[in-house]
Amino acid sequence: MIRIHILEGKAFVWNYADVRKMREEYRIVGKLVGALARKPRQNVRLGLPLQLLPEEARLLVEKGLAILFKNPASQPLGDDPSQDPSALEEMTAYQKGLEENYQEQVQLTAEQRKTVLGSLAERIAQGRAKKQQQKEEEGDPSLKPVDLESSFVLPRQSMMVQLPTERIHPGAEEEVDWQVQSQDWPYAGQSDHEIRYSIFRNLWERGYYVTSGSKFGGDFLVYPGDPMRFHAHYIALCVSKDVPLSLGDLVSAGRLGTNVKKTVLLCSVDQDGTAVYTSLQWSGMQ
């Protein structure tokens, strides 16, 4: 089962194997929103977690492919960590791991330094001989030898620290019911969400890849194949059959689709749940 973490009404997937499985087997794309550990100060390329649309998350749950869960808010600790034995144990284990990591880095740094000094031994000897000669000319023949290997100390603030990308101990978890409206899942029963989900599911069942269409002013972008290999063919606008559309909105949607070389789909749902599509293209006037 794919595990979808819910946080303030948003759905996230943290496991890379689940992300790959969703894309390759279930045609669920989502959007990467996390910073890369090696390049955190940029937003050109992003990493885990993968954020899902509410419709994507609901589809996976309805098909029995995933579960929604959340981590309940933990109680704040007091000034004395010993009040919580489990927290004290985790802190002790963390400090022990840091110390072991530091000692290992000290050993590796010392070995690397010894190798570097060995490769520079001849140049170091020449430099010492030159300094000894200068001292003798100045009348001070004494030159204290310096042990370069033992004089180096690795500062603790310079040690490398591992940046974990997955929680080893996730703590308590609670399953989220997508059929009941709550602060964690506010979409249940909303008419707009029901229309969007009906259209999303219908397009998905037809074999399309469906992603967010916000960058083109629509609800969804519809691809004939993986978005990494294909351009979107359609911009889907989900509207209720009971809500009238102004002529200006129709003209704007048609011109937008034509400018980006895509067909606009006006999508609605009948009373019996059947998806209805109307294609819209701007042809201009002669």
Side-chain angles (χ1 to χ4, degrees):
M1 295 287 284
I2 297 172
R3 299 173 58 80
I4 302 177
H5 184 265
I6 302 299
L7 179 63
E8 297 181 355
K10 298 179 181 179
F12 300 95
V13 178
W14 288 87
N15 188 287
Y16 78 93
D18 289 342
V19 172
R20 181 175 180 178
K21 184 177 182 180
M22 287 190 304
R23 190 178 192 115
E24 294 180 351
E25 299 183 17
Y26 308 135
R27 305 192 313 277
I28 299 297
V29 180
K31 179 178 65 174
L32 293 171
V33 296
L36 296 178
R38 293 182 179 272
K39 294 183 178 181
R41 298 182 180 275
Q42 54 85 36
N43 60 359
V44 178
R45 296 187 180 274
L46 300 176
L48 295 176
L50 182 82
Q51 183 176 350
L52 300 178
L53 296 172
E55 294 76 21
E56 292 175 320
R58 177 176 170 180
L59 178 69
L60 290 171
V61 176
E62 277 195 359
K63 298 294 183 180
L65 305 173
I67 59 172
L68 306 180
F69 74 95
K70 68 173 182 177
N71 295 111
S74 59
Q75 297 295 330
L77 298 176
D79 296 334
D80 187 5
S82 61
Q83 296 177 359
D84 189 346
S86 61
L88 179 60
E89 183 179 352
E90 291 183 2
M91 291 173 59
T92 303
Y94 177 74
Q95 294 295 337
K96 181 180 178 181
L98 281 182
E99 182 62 28
E100 292 176 353
N101 194 0
Y102 173 73
Q103 295 300 333
E104 181 180 1
Q105 291 186 43
V106 168
Q107 181 179 358
L108 293 175
T109 304
E111 293 175 357
Q112 184 180 12
R113 182 176 175 82
K114 184 177 181 180
T115 302
V116 173
L117 291 177
S119 63
L120 300 176
E122 183 177 352
R123 296 180 59 183
I124 293 175
Q126 294 175 356
R128 286 180 174 177
K130 185 175 181 180
K131 288 184 178 180
Q132 180 67 30
Q133 183 179 359
Q134 292 177 352
K135 288 288 185 179
E136 292 177 355
E137 293 176 356
E138 295 174 358
D140 185 8
S142 60
L143 181 61
K144 296 181 180 180
V146 179
D147 188 357
L148 297 179
E149 295 184 12
S150 61
S151 61
F152 174 76
V153 177
L154 177 66
R156 287 187 176 270
Q157 60 268 25
S158 299
M159 68 176 289
M160 299 180 64
V161 180
Q162 181 181 6
L163 298 176
T165 57
E166 186 173 354
R167 296 180 64 182
I168 302 177
H169 306 290
E173 296 178 352
E174 295 180 4
E175 189 169 350
V176 177
D177 189 354
W178 62 271
Q179 296 176 319
V180 179
Q181 190 177 53
S182 64
Q183 182 177 0
D184 302 304
W185 190 258
Y187 312 104
Q190 294 185 0
S191 59
D192 291 344
H193 171 69
E194 294 300 329
I195 295 175
R196 285 167 54 91
Y197 176 70
S198 296
I199 298 302
F200 178 90
R201 182 182 59 188
N202 184 267
L203 291 170
W204 182 84
E205 290 175 346
R206 291 170 180 259
Y208 292 105
Y209 283 74
V210 186
T211 67
S212 173
S214 58
K215 63 181 178 181
F216 287 110
D219 291 294
F220 303 116
L221 289 179
V222 185
Y223 296 81
D226 194 304
M228 294 290 291
R229 301 176 57 190
F230 295 88
H231 290 289
H233 285 188
Y234 306 103
I235 302 174
L237 295 175
C238 301
V239 295
S240 174
K241 294 190 67 175
D242 301 329
V243 178
L245 290 176
S246 66
L247 182 60
D249 292 338
L250 292 176
V251 172
S252 299
R255 294 187 65 178
L256 173 62
T258 302
N259 288 337
V260 295
K261 299 181 180 179
K262 306 182 192 308
T263 300
V264 174
L265 292 180
L266 299 180
C267 313
S268 57
V269 180
D270 280 338
Q271 294 181 353
D272 59 355
T274 304
V276 179
Y277 302 98
T278 303
S279 62
L280 187 64
Q281 290 182 315
W282 177 261
S283 60
M285 296 181 64
Q286 301 296 334

